[in-house]
Amino acid sequence: MTPARHLPARLRRARTAVAALAACLLPLAATPAASAAPSAATPATAASGPAAATAVPADAGGPPPLTDGFGLTQVGTATGSATNFVVTVTTPQVAGPHTIRILLPADYAQHPDKRYPVLYFLHGASDNPSDPALAYPALTAARSMITVIPDGGLRGWYTDWLDQGTAAGAQNWETFHLTQVLPFVDANLRTRTDRAHRAVGGLSMGGFGALHYAQDRPDLFGQVLTMSGANDLSTDEMILRGAVVAMLTNAGTVLCGPSDGRPCGFDYGPTVSSDAIFGTPYPVFNADWRWNAADPASRLALLDRTGIAVYTGNGNGNPADMEFWAEGTAKRVKDRLDALKLPYHYVDYGDGTGWGADCHGGHTAGCWAQDLVDYVPRLEAAFAAAP
């Protein structure tokens, strides 16, 4: 971490202001409203052949049994129904137990010879797949695909952290998802394992994760979705950098006041350095080069063979709403895709007028639910058209 005394006074003041503002915005980038959706989940991906997948019978009375492997060990028993369930796993790659929600099509058990494409859906900050609200109605209603919602941590940021020696313990999120969860799903469920039949999407922090994974591993994903995403980590969007820093350092806990026995919504786990994920975030003598290297908006050319969808609102023009900043990153992504002459599906629903019954343009579950109403049929059509 860059010592504050070594920074120019102006930069120190800017750093403090950005972190404070970001801390105020963070809860808006987090958990969907509990009323937004019923429960759901999904599996996906390849490494084992059809025999391994079909060997696991689906029990109409409850979640299908899954076999440990690829560094994942299941803890306890799965909870939920035969088509919407949560498993808990441990892995040396990420400290602590982690939940994975899996949503299966309603007819999954009735068609034992049928294989399905998969959407990996990445949640936002402060959320967890155990939350049934993440099973948005459009995902549970999907009839021709599986949805997998893996744990991304309260502030994991879908990457392998630079510093693995923090109080948070091991934080190899990208390794966990791409080299463990994906093949685990493919080995246990009847998935289509080619890139044309696998998608990655996410909201807020998960929007960054979706673009990041699709760019790092274009061999795995043929479609990518970002909803209200943190699409730009460059110096063009220091507010988003400030949000990440505030999560790492728990800067917002000062807003919680004296403890009344309830958890502080601004506490993202053990406090760690601002440098823990991508190194120093401060743009001094190019010291922040790792942030720039991870910036999705600067790496869009890597998606030249990928179907791209971008959704955003405008936060009603209010800088205190995280969607105000998300719209700016979405517009930069659109402009750069245009410059690259890459095709995409782009929706800016502004203040939410006409975009579902519960969207008012903010960084909220009501808007994301409608995003998925629009997107899921498009994705299922793309899967169906793929050879």
Side-chain angles (χ1 to χ4, degrees):
M1 180 175 179
T2 304
R5 65 180 180 274
H6 291 168
L7 296 174
R10 181 181 301 173
L11 183 56
R12 290 202 305 272
R13 289 194 297 271
R15 181 189 69 175
T16 302
V18 167
L21 176 57
C24 295
L25 299 177
L26 291 180
L28 301 176
T31 309
S35 62
S39 175
T42 312
T45 310
S48 295
T54 55
V56 181
D59 181 0
L66 307 180
T67 302
D68 292 351
F70 307 95
L72 301 184
T73 301
Q74 295 174 84
V75 178
T77 58
T79 60
S81 70
T83 58
N84 179 359
F85 58 94
V86 175
V87 298
T88 302
V89 300
T90 60
T91 168
Q93 296 298 331
V94 187
H98 301 284
T99 54
I100 303 170
R101 182 173 290 274
I102 296 176
L103 306 175
L104 300 178
D107 67 351
Y108 183 85
Q110 283 69 55
H111 298 282
D113 297 324
K114 184 176 180 180
R115 305 187 76 82
Y116 296 83
V118 182
L119 165 65
Y120 284 86
F121 187 66
L122 310 181
H123 64 75
S126 286
D127 221 329
N128 187 293
S130 62
D131 181 0
L134 285 178
Y136 285 91
L139 297 176
T140 59
R143 301 192 59 84
S144 63
M145 72 179 193
I146 293 169
T147 299
V148 177
I149 309 174
D151 186 14
L154 299 180
R155 45 138 191 230
W157 282 94
Y158 299 99
T159 193
D160 291 355
W161 288 21
L162 177 65
D163 187 354
Q164 295 293 319
T166 73
Q171 298 288 302
N172 291 308
W173 292 99
E174 186 167 1
T175 296
F176 168 50
H177 293 140
L178 302 189
T179 70
Q180 295 185 312
V181 174
L182 265 69
F184 172 80
V185 168
D186 281 345
N188 281 289
L189 298 168
R190 299 192 309 274
T191 62
R192 300 286 296 270
T193 60
D194 58 301
R195 73 180 298 273
H197 291 93
R198 187 184 297 123
V200 60
L203 60 90
S204 195
M205 179 181 79
F208 163 83
L211 289 173
H212 181 64
Y213 286 176
Q215 290 168 339
D216 276 5
R217 294 297 304 273
D219 58 309
L220 291 179
F221 303 104
Q223 301 285 335
V224 64
L225 159 71
T226 175
M227 307 188 314
S228 306
N231 306 317
D232 191 338
L233 293 184
S234 74
T235 52
D236 289 334
E237 197 53 77
M238 291 300 289
I239 286 292
L240 291 184
R241 282 201 191 185
V244 179
V245 169
M247 290 180 187
L248 295 173
T249 61
N250 288 317
T253 56
V254 297
L255 301 177
C256 290
S259 174
D260 57 2
R262 293 178 297 179
C264 174
F266 295 102
D267 188 344
Y268 292 88
T271 297
V272 300
S273 162
S274 63
D275 303 8
I277 301 181
F278 302 114
T280 178
Y282 309 118
V284 180
F285 303 118
N286 199 37
D288 62 335
W289 66 269
R290 289 186 181 87
W291 289 78
N292 299 323
D295 169 33
S298 301
R299 307 171 67 213
L300 294 170
L302 295 170
L303 302 178
D304 61 334
R305 298 186 302 118
T306 304
I308 305 167
V310 181
Y311 292 81
T312 186
N314 65 11
N316 291 288
N318 180 8
D321 190 316
M322 197 67 181
E323 199 67 18
F324 174 88
W325 304 101
E327 184 187 43
T329 73
K331 287 180 175 179
R332 275 193 289 280
V333 165
K334 180 182 185 301
D335 290 344
R336 291 173 187 177
L337 289 172
D338 286 338
L340 291 165
K341 295 182 169 40
L342 295 181
Y344 57 87
H345 177 64
Y346 181 88
V347 177
D348 186 337
Y349 43 83
D351 64 4
T353 301
W355 195 248
D358 195 29
C359 176
H360 306 287
H363 207 66
T364 63
C367 296
W368 299 327
Q370 186 60 32
D371 294 351
L372 290 168
V373 168
D374 182 75
Y375 179 70
V376 168
R378 296 174 183 275
L379 178 61
E380 290 190 295
F383 282 152

